[in-house]
Amino acid sequence: MSVIVWWLATMVMVAVHSASAGVVELNWEVEYKLGWPDCKEGIVIAINGEFPGPTINAVAGDTVIVHVTNKLSTEGVVIHWHGIRQNGTPWADGAAGVTQCPINPGETLTYNFIVDKAGTHFYHGHYGMQRSAGLYGMMIVRSPKETLQYDGEFNLLLSDWWHQSSHAQELYLSSRPMRWIGEPQSLLINGRGQFNCSLAAYFNKGGLKECKFKENDECAPSILRVEPNKVYRLRIASTTALASLNFAVEGHKLVVVEADGNYITPFTTSDVDIYSGESYSVLLTTDQDPSQNYWISVGVRGRKPKTPPALTVLHYVTAPSSQPPSSPPPETPRWNDFDRSKNFSKKIFSAMGSPPPPRKFRKRLILLNTQNMIDGETKWALNNVSLVVPATPYLGSVKYKLRRGFDRKPPPPPTFPMDYDIMNPPRNRNTTKGNGIYVFPFNVTVDVILQNANGLDANASEIHPWHLHGHDFWVLGYGEGKFRPGIDEKTYNLKNPPLRNTVPLYPYGWTALRFVTDNPGVWFFHCHIEPHLHMGMGVVFAEGLNRIGKVPDEALGCGLTKQFLMNRNNP
Amino acid sequence: MSVIVWWLATMVMVAVHSASAGVVELNWEVEYKLGWPDCKEGIVIAINGEFPGPTINAVAGDTVIVHVTNKLSTEGVVIHWHGIRQNGTPWADGAAGVTQCPINPGETLTYNFIVDKAGTHFYHGHYGMQRSAGLYGMMIVRSPKETLQYDGEFNLLLSDWWHQSSHAQELYLSSRPMRWIGEPQSLLINGRGQFNCSLAAYFNKGGLKECKFKENDECAPSILRVEPNKVYRLRIASTTALASLNFAVEGHKLVVVEADGNYITPFTTSDVDIYSGESYSVLLTTDQDPSQNYWISVGVRGRKPKTPPALTVLHYVTAPSSQPPSSPPPETPRWNDFDRSKNFSKKIFSAMGSPPPPRKFRKRLILLNTQNMIDGETKWALNNVSLVVPATPYLGSVKYKLRRGFDRKPPPPPTFPMDYDIMNPPRNRNTTKGNGIYVFPFNVTVDVILQNANGLDANASEIHPWHLHGHDFWVLGYGEGKFRPGIDEKTYNLKNPPLRNTVPLYPYGWTALRFVTDNPGVWFFHCHIEPHLHMGMGVVFAEGLNRIGKVPDEALGCGLTKQFLMNRNNP
């Protein structure tokens, strides 16, 4: 079958769903299945047999109820609702060991929460490296009074894929010495990629052979079918395990209008950098030659790319569906042009009318990001503590005052290590494992300065996209080198900083963010790169601990909460 | 490095341990590690870093206390103490879903039981297919007044090994259509095998090349170092996932003295058939030319062998350790010479003085073994029910009267389906999934007739080694074709039938066994072939339900027991 014919066979249009009622209730079964995400057989985690999982469509204000039944054989499972703030329902955040116990095989947990704000969100596994295994899907929350004008929309969930199982990857990363998992074999758009072949092979670029598809092949690309002279909203989210991505549509400008579920001041760009954990909406006007079709390309940035771009096609209905694009796909910008990346980040401002940040912070935490060694293991650490999530969920420990649930000594004080040389490998490679948390008063303004540094190897500092649960934060600014207290604050944007839940920390630089501790609970804050989190790159924030409401027993029952709940006297 | 040199480097002598105290207490951490079981890298489950797990040495009457900490990332774990009857401690039997909840990651369960009887036992995982992943080890219980005379002993734990992960295997077996996992890549002796090479390549048999080892290679064979003119006890156990095995020592006769922890009437044989779940002790006299070394060979029987034999060497200290055996390894008997296999089984009689079985049975259960289909899945069924173990352990359900824990309707009545044609594929391939159990009165004699049949394909009936938890049973007899009630009982051996916990069911035949329901609890009875059990080939027996003692809360807390224990009023 030629490159022409797969096209018709796999053309997919994502329809605009109509507004739903006040409750969205779903029954989900999570299980492994054989799949062909990149045309090579592999094992994926599916929900109700679908990979990626089904898209949730809701309206802001809706209650979402998901009965998640674990049909895995021997593994626990949780689902994190990425971008949903879980105000009043911290137990439903879906972070194993932080807000709940894993759901045991054969059991069902009912997540029940309100989606209070419109936005392009997604969900994913948050236990071990189950996100890498394919446990993810999109979650679209519409506004009941949408002000954006567009004619149609598409959801594009981006991910990366390895041929080695996530179980093997976990073991490699924890091995002594650490064995790096390498770059992904494929990038996926809506769970579909092409390994070792290219849709654009006929341009003779990259040396890959033409892809052959059979009808209904799971790895054939989802084509975006558009009419000329219309405006489409592309909802793009990245749930990659590792890759930082760049998204472009051949011959079309993109107007970025939303970031992580918050409207921003629209700006026009030829391409979008998107890091794991981020989402964007872009408006695309189909104003090009309607007799042609056009490439959509997703390539790797930020790390030396060894993975070819993921491709699909923007198909004008006025062009023959069997006609491949006449020009080569857009080139992904040079991977290590970090100035270009930073420029993109710095173009993002909140939309007019968005709430500005408080003028001053009450607490400030500087988090030095380092790569270290401990007992032969390679680890990532914050202020020299590499996080090991305890068996007892923090939320249970604080709710029920189980003092042995985690180390009550707080992590190293948030004072900046003034003498640390961020430009060179650590003088002392050692770190410590820990599970202490940062406890903040309720309803105060907290600044976090993420400070990057050199890793274990010389001349190597990586991008880390940091994701905060339970909150949006204002991104006050980015800077080069070491943050200078008392000086760099002057560069902050306090006028229209964007609200986000994920933000990149660039090599050898710092990122400043601000949030208000207005959501009683325990919240994970971590690098969204799955291997980095697995290697300890996270911290835990707690706030309003005496205001935490009822935590359903079903969400607990492991570690110390098991014994506690069993021995609790009923009234 | 040549075939000569690995020898010295890896010579291992298993010493006779001295009698231990009344309590054997162990701290175990279970985790995955990278290993080279057959010289090819793979992922194994290790205990305290060891694969196979450490050998437990105890004396009959000892209390064994094992604190098992689950260090797996996302999987539960349990350990079954195979051959230990767990009288009074049914919760410690270690069968997930039957007698306990899986131990969650990061948690510790303390198994605490008495080893009331001497014998050659072993332990292994009993959740999902974790036994296939390498979770096993030996457990030797010595008699404080051993009557057997011997000069030294060796433990030989036999297993089979696949290069595909047990997770992938589970998925393949459950796929629609079922994808068979194939024959093992290697057989292992004490966790060591050689893939794609042979220690005996210099005889130019089988076309395999010579194995090259580096010093301390994990896959180099464990050599048995013996002195001439001594008697050695070889304790052999099989924990294979699939393979039925035959064990032989070149040039040496073997005197079989123990089967599944029970002394038998000694008999002399050139080789021993051993099925998964069985153990034997054989005495070997080192009466051969002391200037030579000799092969120990373990080959596949019962299935068309696609796996080369596992080899190691019996090394006389009087022979040069660098001198390989001068003759080829013993040939494994023809795989489908079932008459030879049955003859071996029929040579096994209890030792003089062993308790004879009760003369009559009070209850009889005939279990028809069939291979079936249900909704596209291939299943094994007993009396047309394919077992699906529930999320709530049976022991918890019966102890706390949780009526929804499993189907209270008993499985199909134990009446023999007289019209079932066991010689041909099933006329109706359908089966049903179920989780009902067989409840017996306390302290009665139960006969079970295992009845084999043809599988889904014509002319195919397989060996199934059936293992009963919580009991030894008397093997009353084996027969061809369909069991004829009222007639075949006359062939029973009621004088000196062997006591066992595992017994083979031969193709197109029946096996009769008898036991007394003297152990209050819930007991798994299943085919010990791991894929067959995964596909539903088991039943559950319960007895003395009102006599079950305290079940520690720590062993429960999943499924319905979670809610029950959390809501229970404390006095």
Side-chain angles (χ1 to χ4, degrees):
Chain A
M1 204 179 219
S2 76
V3 73
I4 314 287
V5 188
W6 50 259
W7 214 331
L8 262 177
T10 63
M11 212 145 49
V12 171
M13 171 72 190
V14 180
V16 178
H17 290 255
S18 58
S20 63
V23 174
V24 176
E25 187 161 7
L26 303 163
N27 283 291
W28 281 4
E29 293 191 344
V30 179
E31 61 187 322
Y32 284 105
K33 73 162 191 176
L34 291 172
W36 293 261
D38 63 355
C39 307
K40 188 170 163 9
E41 185 180 86
I43 295 176
V44 297
I45 301 187
I47 295 173
N48 294 348
E50 292 179 45
F51 164 78
T55 297
I56 298 180
N57 283 285
V59 175
D62 279 358
T63 297
V64 172
I65 300 172
V66 190
H67 309 282
V68 176
T69 299
N70 178 356
K71 303 283 276 187
L72 306 178
S73 169
T74 54
E75 285 179 73
V77 81
V78 299
I79 294 183
H80 169 57
W81 317 95
H82 187 112
I84 306 301
R85 290 174 298 180
Q86 302 291 356
N87 217 307
T89 49
W91 62 271
D93 187 48
V98 178
T99 59
Q100 70 165 102
C101 298
I103 307 167
N104 285 323
E107 299 186 16
T108 301
L109 177 70
T110 298
Y111 290 96
N112 187 326
F113 54 89
I114 291 168
V115 289
D116 58 347
K117 231 183 64 185
T120 299
H121 304 302
F122 55 108
Y123 60 83
H124 58 77
H126 214 305
Y127 189 36
M129 286 176 53
Q130 291 179 343
R131 179 159 60 92
S132 277
L135 180 49
Y136 43 70
M138 288 202 90
M139 178 160 185
I140 307 301
V141 181
R142 284 162 217 294
S143 170
K145 33 182 193 233
E146 178 65 76
T147 51
L148 262 183
Q149 300 285 321
Y150 50 92
D151 302 301
E153 72 180 52
F154 296 91
N155 299 331
L156 297 168
L157 182 58
L158 313 180
S159 58
D160 45 9
W161 184 249
W162 278 257
H163 293 161
Q164 218 129 21
S165 76
S166 64
H167 299 113
Q169 291 183 44
E170 286 185 8
L171 182 61
Y172 293 165
L173 293 169
S174 306
S175 290
R176 299 167 186 169
M178 186 265 281
R179 191 184 298 188
W180 179 239
I181 58 170
E183 302 302 312
Q185 272 71 58
S186 304
L187 301 179
L188 309 182
I189 301 173
N190 291 341
R192 293 159 177 264
Q194 297 83 37
F195 176 67
N196 222 7
C197 71
S198 172
L199 304 180
Y202 58 97
F203 292 107
N204 276 323
K205 299 187 74 164
L208 288 169
K209 64 178 194 298
E210 193 179 291
C211 301
K212 311 271 185 199
F213 298 103
K214 292 186 293 293
E215 208 169 335
N216 296 322
D217 255 4
E218 288 185 14
C219 62
S222 304
I223 305 300
L224 278 61
R225 190 171 178 274
V226 294
E227 292 175 19
N229 297 311
K230 302 273 188 187
V231 176
Y232 291 90
R233 179 179 191 166
L234 310 185
R235 294 178 180 268
I236 312 164
S238 172
T239 183
T240 55
L242 176 65
S244 300
L245 300 176
N246 181 271
F247 176 92
V249 182
E250 180 201 342
H252 292 72
K253 290 286 176 201
L254 306 171
V255 180
V256 188
V257 293
E258 180 211 346
D260 299 357
N262 295 288
Y263 287 121
I264 61 172
T265 302
F267 67 97
T268 301
T269 179
S270 59
D271 56 271
V272 173
D273 278 339
I274 181 166
Y275 300 97
S276 179
E278 292 187 332
S279 72
Y280 289 102
S281 282
V282 300
L283 298 181
L284 174 145
T285 304
T286 47
D287 54 6
Q288 297 299 302
D289 178 354
S291 71
Q292 297 292 321
N293 295 311
Y294 301 88
W295 290 113
I296 295 174
S297 174
V298 177
V300 173
R301 299 205 66 207
R303 304 178 62 88
K304 194 165 184 180
K306 293 177 183 160
T307 315
L311 295 175
T312 185
V313 173
L314 185 75
H315 164 50
Y316 278 60
V317 294
T318 41
S321 64
S322 58
Q323 172 187 294
S326 55
S327 305
E331 291 278 352
T332 302
R334 189 163 52 83
W335 71 274
N336 55 356
D337 185 352
F338 292 112
D339 286 340
R340 194 181 196 283
S341 305
K342 292 171 197 167
N343 281 340
F344 182 84
S345 291
K346 291 174 182 170
K347 281 185 202 159
I348 302 169
F349 301 104
S350 65
M352 270 205 304
S354 296
R359 303 299 299 172
K360 292 184 186 315
F361 65 84
R362 166 97 162 271
K363 297 274 176 189
R364 181 159 72 185
L365 180 58
I366 298 176
L367 290 175
L368 175 67
N369 291 232
T370 56
Q371 195 180 25
N372 302 78
M373 299 289 290
I374 179 166
D375 298 338
E377 278 185 274
T378 301
K379 288 285 187 184
W380 291 94
L382 285 308
N383 295 352
N384 211 35
V385 176
S386 185
L387 182 68
V388 178
V389 175
T392 306
Y394 290 106
L395 189 66
S397 292
V398 301
K399 175 74 184 168
Y400 295 118
K401 301 188 169 52
L402 309 173
R403 298 198 65 81
R404 292 179 303 113
F406 62 90
D407 186 0
R408 292 300 166 136
K409 194 155 54 83
T415 53
F416 194 57
M418 290 303 291
D419 59 342
Y420 191 90
D421 177 5
I422 66 158
M423 301 306 291
N424 287 297
R427 261 171 269 167
N428 177 355
R429 296 152 67 97
N430 284 342
T431 187
T432 51
K433 295 183 186 178
N435 61 26
I437 67 176
Y438 294 98
V439 180
F440 297 115
F442 186 62
N443 239 343
V444 301
T445 300
V446 173
D447 277 14
V448 177
I449 314 295
L450 291 162
Q451 175 66 58
N452 215 335
N454 197 99
L456 287 169
D457 296 330
N459 303 314
S461 182
E462 300 186 23
I463 292 177
H464 302 289
W466 276 81
H467 171 62
L468 178 58
H469 292 225
H471 294 276
D472 288 337
F473 50 72
W474 290 275
V475 181
L476 302 185
Y478 304 87
E480 305 290 322
K482 198 186 277 192
F483 181 79
R484 296 162 302 171
I487 299 170
D488 284 323
E489 295 89 339
K490 298 189 175 69
T491 67
Y492 284 175
N493 171 14
L494 296 176
K495 191 176 129 238
N496 57 357
L499 271 172
R500 315 261 340 219
N501 60 55
T502 305
V503 70
L505 172 62
Y506 287 107
Y508 300 112
W510 55 263
T511 298
L513 53 96
R514 179 167 291 181
F515 70 100
V516 178
T517 59
D518 55 4
N519 194 1
V522 181
W523 306 110
F524 219 162
F525 181 47
H526 60 86
C527 176
H528 210 261
I529 292 177
E530 185 109 309
H532 289 186
L533 176 55
H534 183 73
M535 295 158 84
M537 198 165 203
V539 295
V540 174
F541 294 163
E543 66 206 51
L545 291 186
N546 55 351
R547 294 165 186 259
I548 293 172
K550 183 168 166 49
V551 177
D553 289 352
E554 305 84 64
L556 299 176
C558 61
L560 299 179
T561 63
K562 176 173 171 172
Q563 211 178 347
F564 172 80
L565 292 172
M566 285 185 180
N567 294 328
R568 171 187 56 179
N569 279 303
N570 282 328
Chain B
M1 205 181 219
S2 75
V3 70
I4 313 288
V5 187
W6 50 258
W7 214 331
L8 264 176
T10 62
M11 212 145 49
V12 172
M13 171 72 190
V14 180
V16 178
H17 290 256
S18 57
S20 63
V23 175
V24 176
E25 187 162 5
L26 303 163
N27 283 292
W28 280 5
E29 293 190 344
V30 179
E31 63 188 323
Y32 285 104
K33 72 162 191 175
L34 292 171
W36 293 260
D38 63 354
C39 306
K40 188 168 160 18
E41 185 179 84
I43 295 176
V44 297
I45 302 187
I47 297 173
N48 293 349
E50 292 179 45
F51 164 77
T55 297
I56 298 180
N57 284 286
V59 175
D62 278 358
T63 296
V64 172
I65 300 171
V66 190
H67 310 282
V68 176
T69 299
N70 178 356
K71 303 282 276 186
L72 307 178
S73 169
T74 53
E75 285 178 74
V77 81
V78 298
I79 295 183
H80 168 57
W81 316 95
H82 186 113
I84 305 302
R85 291 173 299 181
Q86 302 290 356
N87 217 305
T89 50
W91 63 269
D93 188 47
V98 179
T99 60
Q100 69 164 100
C101 297
I103 307 167
N104 285 323
E107 298 186 16
T108 302
L109 177 70
T110 297
Y111 290 97
N112 187 325
F113 54 89
I114 291 169
V115 289
D116 58 345
K117 233 183 62 184
T120 299
H121 303 304
F122 54 108
Y123 60 82
H124 58 77
H126 214 304
Y127 188 36
M129 286 176 53
Q130 291 179 342
R131 178 159 60 92
S132 277
L135 181 49
Y136 43 70
M138 288 202 90
M139 177 158 184
I140 307 301
V141 181
R142 284 162 217 295
S143 170
K145 35 183 192 231
E146 178 64 77
T147 52
L148 263 182
Q149 300 284 322
Y150 49 92
D151 302 301
E153 72 180 51
F154 296 91
N155 298 332
L156 297 168
L157 182 58
L158 312 180
S159 58
D160 44 9
W161 184 249
W162 278 256
H163 292 162
Q164 219 128 21
S165 76
S166 63
H167 299 114
Q169 292 182 43
E170 286 184 9
L171 181 62
Y172 293 164
L173 293 169
S174 305
S175 290
R176 300 166 187 170
M178 186 266 282
R179 190 184 297 188
W180 178 239
I181 59 170
E183 302 302 311
Q185 272 70 58
S186 303
L187 301 179
L188 309 181
I189 301 174
N190 290 340
R192 293 158 177 265
Q194 296 84 37
F195 175 67
N196 223 6
C197 71
S198 172
L199 304 180
Y202 58 96
F203 292 107
N204 278 321
K205 301 188 73 165
L208 289 168
K209 64 179 195 297
E210 192 179 293
C211 301
K212 312 269 184 198
F213 298 102
K214 293 187 293 293
E215 207 169 335
N216 297 322
D217 256 2
E218 287 184 15
C219 62
S222 305
I223 304 301
L224 279 61
R225 190 171 178 275
V226 294
E227 292 175 20
N229 298 311
K230 303 271 189 188
V231 176
Y232 290 91
R233 180 178 191 167
L234 309 185
R235 293 177 180 268
I236 311 164
S238 172
T239 184
T240 55
L242 177 65
S244 300
L245 300 176
N246 180 272
F247 175 92
V249 183
E250 179 203 343
H252 291 72
K253 290 286 175 200
L254 306 170
V255 180
V256 188
V257 293
E258 180 210 346
D260 297 357
N262 295 288
Y263 287 120
I264 61 172
T265 301
F267 67 97
T268 302
T269 179
S270 59
D271 56 272
V272 173
D273 279 339
I274 180 165
Y275 300 97
S276 179
E278 292 187 331
S279 71
Y280 289 102
S281 282
V282 300
L283 298 180
L284 174 146
T285 303
T286 48
D287 55 6
Q288 297 298 302
D289 178 355
S291 70
Q292 298 292 321
N293 295 311
Y294 302 87
W295 291 113
I296 294 173
S297 175
V298 176
V300 173
R301 301 205 65 210
R303 304 178 62 87
K304 195 166 182 178
K306 293 177 183 161
T307 315
L311 296 175
T312 186
V313 173
L314 185 76
H315 164 49
Y316 278 62
V317 295
T318 41
S321 64
S322 57
Q323 172 187 293
S326 54
S327 305
E331 290 279 352
T332 301
R334 189 163 52 81
W335 71 273
N336 55 356
D337 185 351
F338 292 111
D339 285 341
R340 193 182 196 282
S341 306
K342 293 170 197 170
N343 280 340
F344 183 83
S345 291
K346 292 173 182 171
K347 281 184 200 160
I348 301 169
F349 300 105
S350 65
M352 272 205 302
S354 296
R359 301 299 298 173
K360 292 185 187 314
F361 63 86
R362 167 97 162 271
K363 298 272 176 191
R364 180 159 74 185
L365 179 58
I366 298 175
L367 290 174
L368 175 66
N369 291 233
T370 55
Q371 196 181 25
N372 302 79
M373 298 289 289
I374 179 167
D375 298 338
E377 279 185 274
T378 302
K379 288 284 188 184
W380 291 94
L382 285 308
N383 295 351
N384 210 36
V385 176
S386 186
L387 182 69
V388 178
V389 175
T392 307
Y394 290 106
L395 189 66
S397 291
V398 301
K399 174 75 184 169
Y400 295 118
K401 301 188 169 52
L402 309 172
R403 298 199 66 81
R404 293 179 301 114
F406 60 92
D407 186 0
R408 292 300 165 135
K409 196 156 53 84
T415 54
F416 193 57
M418 289 304 290
D419 60 341
Y420 191 89
D421 176 6
I422 66 159
M423 301 306 292
N424 287 296
R427 262 171 270 168
N428 177 353
R429 294 152 68 99
N430 283 342
T431 187
T432 51
K433 295 183 186 178
N435 62 27
I437 67 176
Y438 294 98
V439 180
F440 297 115
F442 186 62
N443 240 344
V444 300
T445 301
V446 173
D447 277 13
V448 177
I449 314 294
L450 291 162
Q451 175 66 59
N452 214 334
N454 197 99
L456 287 169
D457 296 329
N459 302 313
S461 182
E462 300 186 23
I463 293 177
H464 301 289
W466 277 81
H467 171 62
L468 178 58
H469 292 223
H471 293 277
D472 288 338
F473 50 72
W474 290 276
V475 181
L476 302 184
Y478 304 88
E480 305 291 322
K482 198 187 275 190
F483 181 78
R484 296 163 302 172
I487 299 170
D488 283 325
E489 296 89 339
K490 296 187 176 70
T491 67
Y492 284 176
N493 170 15
L494 296 175
K495 191 176 129 237
N496 57 358
L499 271 171
R500 313 259 344 215
N501 60 56
T502 305
V503 69
L505 173 61
Y506 288 107
Y508 301 112
W510 55 263
T511 298
L513 52 95
R514 179 168 291 180
F515 71 100
V516 178
T517 60
D518 56 3
N519 193 2
V522 181
W523 305 110
F524 219 162
F525 181 46
H526 60 86
C527 176
H528 210 261
I529 291 178
E530 187 109 310
H532 289 188
L533 175 56
H534 183 73
M535 295 158 83
M537 200 167 203
V539 296
V540 174
F541 293 162
E543 67 205 51
L545 292 185
N546 56 352
R547 293 165 187 257
I548 293 172
K550 182 169 167 47
V551 177
D553 289 351
E554 304 86 63
L556 300 176
C558 61
L560 301 179
T561 63
K562 177 173 171 173
Q563 211 177 346
F564 171 81
L565 291 172
M566 285 184 179
N567 295 327
R568 172 186 56 181
N569 278 304
N570 283 327

